[in-house]
Amino acid sequence: MFSVLVKSFLRQMIFWYLFFAFERLIFLLYHISEITKAGLFLILKSFWFGIPLDTSAFCYLIIFPLIISLVQSIYNHRVFGTINKVYTLFVVLLLSIITSVELGLYDEWKTKLNYKALTYLEHPSEVVRTASWGLTFVTILFIIIQFLIGFFFYNKYVFQRTLNGKRNYLSSLLFLIISAPLIVLGIRGGTQQIPINQSYCYYSSYNILNVAAVNSGWNVMHSIIQNKKFMDHNPYVEFNEKDAETIVKGIYQVEKDTTVLVLKTRTPNVVYILLEGFSADLSKSLGGFDLTPNFDSLTNEGILFTNMYSSGDRSEQGMASILSGFPAQPATSILKQTSKFSKLPCISRSFASMNYFTSYLFGGQLEYGNIKAYLVFNGFNRILDIDNYPSSIPRGKLGVHDEYIFKRYIEEQNKTKEPFFSCVFTLSSHGPYDQPMKNIYYWGGNENGYINAAHYTDSCLGNYFREAKKQAWYDNTLFVIVADHSHNSPKNWDFNIPAYKRIPFLLYGNVLKDEFKGKKMNRISSQVDISTTILAQLGLDHIEFEWSKDLFNPYTSEFAYYPFPDGFGWVSKDGWIVYDYLQKKVSASSNPSSVKTKEYELNGKAFLQVLFQKYLDY
């Protein structure tokens, strides 16, 4: 019986290793255009470097079948074989779903499925509308292919209805004694002090190959476990609490609390135009492609910030950063937790205290990312989303197209009493890019749909301003144009470096003093700085926005922080770094030999430690 159990164990092990390799192969083939430059040898190494996590994943998965097999070795009934079969095929289906969903997810987030992505399944209808029909078809197709192939090989080569062998309690006990510690060692990756983690799979400068090497099932499970820990534990503690706070206070230290006033009035209407997923690479005025001629023409009469960085990579993170001045956190989003976002300040409340009418307009569903709850809590007088548009208005999978959003926005502004603070959030530059305008660009590779959609949004922006200039409220309005987060562009920057995170930020309107029109501000800045910057111009108190800096105060320090699932980026006027907590090192920098690199690492670690503790304390 001992040999029978060993053979059963080995068959299942071989099956799972081959299944994991098959999933990895599908991921690599799906993204073949991104990995061809790496070369065949480097690509194949992803299979080798994936073995440690594959082993850990296998050891987790084999625990239940092993227990069933041991029971079956004592009482050999066919029902135990059926139980093992159902269990295994359920896991095969689950892993097929995970790895198939990751195919499209990587294109959008440059990461594998994780806890943060899973939280969006609270609104499955939104997820379905986000995906194009093509992507949905491909996802379902690969789920079916993986499951059927897994089912066939398991059923043909692994499945045993009964264990053929003489019952022997001693041999069963011996197998348990030997296999149990081996499984424990496999789960933790060996006898080393630090248990196995994703860094064991990182081997290439091509991050997509590192991602491919990470076992998908193991990654999801690990991400869930880690994020559950975040509920009461700060995983980014590197310093004594007081020391970390001292470092952060030093970063924000201002020699003189002053500002350069760029507005003609202290009581303008304020309009936030929030551009969905706009990268700085789209705009010629920001050193990018010539895809946004209308935005670029506005920069000639506005104040353009050329070094603005998004804090997060999701819309709800952008809202928290832009409206509440609260930086994004790795793997979590504060807007998803009412008990926490209720502790944040919000610029709408600052305007409301000055008797401004406040409103927010969107063409899709604001429930996604819990944004609607956040807006309602912060007392916006009028909140409009997809349910407030007539069904006769053309729309795509996600909602109303931008041209109709801006048309409705003009109508709403015309019936709003001044002064007002209002936000309009565009939609069409979010996948699946089903805007009504025909494509006019046929380049851009994997981002062809994105650049055409962004060009469409820009055309709608131009039409909006041509119409807005005819309205009575226009001359007394400050327009704040900024992206909610960035997006991959045809330049295909690495997801973690600052170039990927750079976004447009423009102040525009006749309320600007003439001497500032057409001016470019090259200061390093972040979305979180917008609240304090605007409130300071209006002479309003901004002490609540503790993470936000006044960009018109020449004494404030220049820096921008942004997170990614396993680390952070830190940008300063003298350079930048990317710190990876998995690798426990600076994984990229503008100048590795610079003495500033250590300073940026110190500042970034302290910043994230204090920020995440604040998030936990809320």
Side-chain angles (χ1 to χ4, degrees), residues 329-562:
Q329 313 86 52
T332 60
S333 298
I334 194 168
L335 256 61
K336 286 183 170 290
Q337 300 177 63
T338 306
S339 61
K340 292 185 180 295
F341 75 57
S342 61
K343 307 295 196 308
L344 296 177
C346 184
I347 196 170
S348 64
R349 295 207 297 267
S350 300
F351 282 109
S353 69
M354 299 295 291
N355 296 317
Y356 274 63
F357 185 89
T358 60
S359 64
Y360 191 105
L361 185 143
F362 183 49
Q365 285 190 323
L366 284 171
E367 288 84 1
Y368 194 57
N370 213 32
I371 294 174
K372 189 169 188 176
Y374 167 77
L375 298 175
V376 171
F377 174 82
N378 283 298
F380 277 81
N381 299 119
R382 184 186 300 144
I383 301 172
L384 303 177
D385 66 3
I386 191 169
D387 294 330
N388 300 105
Y389 292 82
S391 58
S392 59
I393 292 181
R395 60 191 65 189
K397 287 185 70 177
L398 280 186
V400 177
H401 301 300
D402 284 349
E403 59 187 278
Y404 304 105
I405 292 175
F406 278 118
K407 182 180 178 180
R408 177 64 179 271
Y409 194 44
I410 290 284
E411 295 172 357
E412 294 297 325
Q413 289 173 305
N414 284 341
K415 65 183 183 182
T416 300
K417 182 180 178 181
E418 299 183 59
F420 57 77
F421 166 70
S422 65
C423 304
V424 59
F425 185 20
T426 67
L427 179 70
S428 299
S429 50
H430 193 299
Y433 314 126
D434 55 359
Q435 71 279 356
M437 177 186 285
K438 291 184 178 180
N439 288 355
I440 63 172
Y441 300 107
Y442 297 95
W443 53 273
N446 56 318
E447 297 301 343
N448 176 258
Y450 169 65
I451 64 174
N452 277 284
H455 179 75
Y456 165 72
T457 294
D458 178 73
S459 70
C460 299
L461 182 70
N463 290 335
Y464 165 75
F465 274 102
R466 282 185 282 275
E467 190 64 29
K469 289 177 181 179
K470 303 174 186 177
Q471 313 308 318
W473 45 262
Y474 176 80
D475 283 336
N476 190 45
T477 301
L478 172 67
F479 297 91
V480 180
I481 307 173
V482 66
D484 64 332
H485 56 79
S486 189
H487 190 282
N488 190 40
S489 79
K491 293 188 177 183
N492 286 309
W493 303 108
D494 186 275
F495 179 71
N496 296 338
I497 70 170
Y500 187 106
K501 306 294 182 180
R502 199 163 64 94
I503 58 173
F505 175 44
L506 176 70
L507 300 181
Y508 178 83
N510 288 342
V511 293
L512 291 175
K513 293 178 180 177
D514 293 340
E515 61 266 32
F516 292 101
K517 292 182 178 180
K519 185 176 180 61
K520 288 189 176 183
M521 299 284 289
N522 298 321
R523 290 175 61 87
I524 303 297
S525 51
S526 166
Q527 285 175 316
V528 298
D529 300 327
I530 295 175
S531 293
T532 289
T533 300
I534 299 301
L535 292 175
Q537 289 297 307
L538 275 58
L540 300 178
D541 181 63
H542 47 79
I543 193 170
E544 286 184 293
F545 298 83
E546 58 181 313
W547 300 96
S548 183
K549 309 186 300 293
D550 180 4
L551 297 177
F552 288 113
N553 182 344
Y555 297 98
T556 56
S557 56
E558 294 186 45
F559 74 88
Y561 145 92
Y562 60 85

Side-chain angles (χ1 to χ4, degrees), residues 41-216:
F41 179 69
L42 198 61
I43 293 172
L44 291 177
K45 286 176 72 174
S46 67
F47 291 89
W48 172 257
F49 279 87
I51 290 176
L53 280 189
D54 286 351
T55 301
S56 181
F58 161 72
C59 289
Y60 276 113
L61 294 177
I62 200 63
I63 293 174
F64 180 78
L66 181 61
I67 293 172
I68 296 297
S69 295
L70 286 169
V71 174
Q72 192 177 13
S73 70
I74 298 171
Y75 177 62
N76 194 10
H77 193 283
R78 60 192 301 166
V79 70
F80 295 112
T82 302
I83 291 172
N84 254 340
K85 182 177 183 178
V86 171
Y87 165 82
T88 302
L89 294 182
F90 171 79
V91 175
V92 167
L93 177 60
L94 184 61
L95 292 178
S96 298
I97 293 172
I98 290 172
T99 55
S100 298
V101 168
E102 283 176 346
L103 298 178
L105 183 70
Y106 181 82
D107 289 337
E108 184 71 17
W109 287 8
K110 301 301 179 186
T111 186
K112 287 209 163 191
L113 190 66
N114 53 31
Y115 177 83
K116 179 179 173 183
L118 287 173
T119 61
Y120 289 91
L121 296 180
E122 294 172 359
H123 303 286
S125 61
E126 186 73 10
V127 175
V128 172
R129 283 193 297 272
T130 299
S132 65
W133 287 112
L135 179 59
T136 301
F137 174 79
V138 169
T139 301
I140 295 174
L141 178 64
F142 277 111
I143 291 173
I144 295 172
I145 290 173
Q146 290 182 81
F147 177 75
L148 290 180
I149 290 177
F151 177 89
F152 173 80
F153 279 93
Y154 179 81
N155 203 51
K156 186 173 179 63
Y157 299 107
V158 182
F159 174 63
Q160 291 176 287
R161 192 172 298 277
T162 59
L163 294 179
N164 299 318
K166 187 178 180 180
R167 307 301 99 190
N168 188 315
Y169 298 152
L170 183 61
S171 62
S172 298
L173 178 62
L174 179 62
F175 180 79
L176 175 62
I177 292 172
I178 294 174
S179 62
L182 290 177
I183 289 173
V184 172
L185 286 176
I187 286 174
R188 75 182 312 277
T191 59
Q192 73 281 0
Q193 185 176 4
I194 300 176
I196 193 172
N197 56 49
Q198 291 97 324
S199 64
Y200 282 66
C201 299
Y202 280 61
Y203 71 97
S204 171
S205 58
Y206 293 88
N207 192 56
I208 188 171
L209 298 181
N210 301 326
V211 171
V214 174
N215 184 281
S216 298

Side-chain angles (χ1 to χ4, degrees), residues 115 197 222-239 244 329-332 340 561 563-568 579-584 604-617:
Y115 177 83
N197 56 49
H222 178 77
S223 179
I224 292 172
I225 293 172
Q226 289 299 308
N227 280 277
K228 289 299 182 184
K229 290 180 179 179
F230 289 172
M231 300 306 292
D232 57 7
H233 168 68
N234 188 343
Y236 305 109
V237 174
E238 297 276 347
F239 312 97
Q329 313 86 52
T332 60
K340 292 185 180 295
Y561 145 92
F564 53 92
D566 300 306
F568 65 84
Y579 185 84
D580 193 315
Y581 280 96
L582 290 179
Q583 302 181 65
K584 297 294 183 182
K605 285 181 176 179
F607 187 95
L608 182 50
Q609 176 179 329
V610 174
L611 170 67
F612 205 86
Q613 191 58 52
K614 177 71 72 172
Y615 162 81
L616 291 176
D617 292 343

